[in-house]
Every structure is written in structure tokens, then in C-alpha cells.
Amino acid sequence: MEQQILGFFEASDFLEHEVLRPLSHIRPGWELFVDPTTDRYKDEEGTFAWLFNHLITRISKSTPPDKYHDSEDRLAEHVQTSLNWKISKHRGIWRNASGHRLTPNDYLVTLEQGGFKIDGIEDLIAAASGRVHAALQYGQRHFDDMERGHQVILAGVLAAILYHWDPIEPEIRKLEV
């Protein structure tokens, strides 16, 4: 399964555009290069390459939750209670104060903000892992093959993780040594 997940994240302009370009205000180098000797993204200054490789490895070695929506629900519940956002879940769908389904952007902002809770990043990683494993179960072997709605949410979750990891990259690197 680990190799399948690594393959899921093989180089793709679309993957970089969806996950890394939204973070270009933090690190301008959102277009990555693949190192032909390792088949991984080349660690270059001003990019998220090292963190993205680290994230892909974490996902490839993780056991997905039985229900990845549970991880996402914990993040949304944190935002609901701790930040007093007027959102609620009805029949499995998160809704805003007026009862309308959260737009994909609003849902992603909710998950990103939920990532600030203790263990929030772990919930984000579990959600990403669950979404990747679900895609593979449905025969979607690469990010580019995903159904568009799920692709948007996965890209946003991955970007949220990288956003949270950005300020602590030096500490994460030390743990990898």
C-alpha cells in the first residue's frame, strides 16, 4: 500500500497547483522539481518540497481511520465550540448559521482553523490519509484521477497541514535525523 500512496502523489502540475500554489504567499517556489535519482521532490530553498515529501511519507506509513469524516468532524467541532462559529452538522453535512451547506472553501477554512487545536494536525493527517485510501479503493490511482469535489477537499487539507508545519519545519527536520 505504501508504494501505491507514493504513486498517488507522483509529480503532477495539477497537484502542485492545487496544493502548493495557494501557499505561494508563504513560500514563492510552488513549482517543484523531481529529483531523478530519488523520484521525490527536490528540496530547494523557498519551496515546500521537503515538507511535502515528509507529508507524503507520513500518509504512506499511516493507517487510515475507519471514517475519515470523524477526524474532520473533530476539527469542525473545535471551531464550533472554541471559536464560537455558528456552524452545525445536520444529517452528516456541516451547515452555516442560515442552514446552508458550507461551501468547499468554508469547509476548508473550518478544517484549517480546527488544525490549531491540540492534536489538530494529527486529525488533518488522518483526514488526508483516509481520503487518499478511499480514492485508491475507488480505483483513483493518482491525485489527478480523483473526483473533482474530493480532490478539492484533499488538496485543501494537504495545504492546511503544510501551512501549520511551515513555522516548525526546522524542528520537524531535526526529528527526522
Side-chain angles (χ1 to χ4, degrees), residues 7-70:
F8 185 86
F9 288 106
E10 283 181 347
S12 153
D13 291 336
F14 194 56
L15 177 66
E16 293 172 27
H17 187 272
E18 294 294 305
V19 176
L20 301 174
R21 187 167 184 250
L23 300 170
S24 64
H25 64 288
I26 300 171
R27 296 187 187 186
W30 62 272
E31 295 177 295
L32 305 180
F33 297 98
V34 175
D35 182 337
T37 60
T38 64
D39 286 331
R40 302 297 304 264
Y41 293 108
K42 186 176 180 185
D43 186 11
E44 296 180 299
E45 189 175 335
T47 72
F48 279 99
W50 188 89
L51 279 175
F52 197 37
N53 285 332
H54 178 71
L55 176 55
I56 292 167
T57 299
R58 282 281 307 268
I59 292 171
S60 74
K61 293 178 187 260
S62 69
T63 301
D66 291 333
K67 297 177 184 176
Y68 63 83
H69 285 290
D70 290 349

Side-chain angles (χ1 to χ4, degrees), residues 150-171:
H150 290 283
Q151 188 182 62
V152 166
I153 300 302
L154 175 59
V157 170
L158 296 170
I161 295 165
L162 295 172
Y163 170 79
H164 283 283
W165 276 354
D166 175 64
I168 60 169
E169 180 178 350
E171 289 80 10

Side-chain angles (χ1 to χ4, degrees), residues 45-102:
E45 189 175 335
T47 72
F48 279 99
W50 188 89
L51 279 175
F52 197 37
N53 285 332
H54 178 71
L55 176 55
I56 292 167
T57 299
R58 282 281 307 268
I59 292 171
S60 74
K61 293 178 187 260
S62 69
T63 301
D66 291 333
K67 297 177 184 176
Y68 63 83
H69 285 290
D70 290 349
S71 302
E72 294 174 4
D73 286 349
R74 283 191 295 276
L75 296 163
E77 289 163 1
H78 172 74
V79 167
Q80 179 188 46
T81 58
S82 298
L83 301 179
N84 200 30
W85 285 16
K86 305 297 182 207
I87 60 173
S88 57
K89 190 170 184 180
H90 298 283
R91 296 186 181 140
I93 297 171
W94 282 95
R95 300 183 180 277
N96 62 23
S98 58
H100 294 99
R101 180 184 198 137
L102 293 181

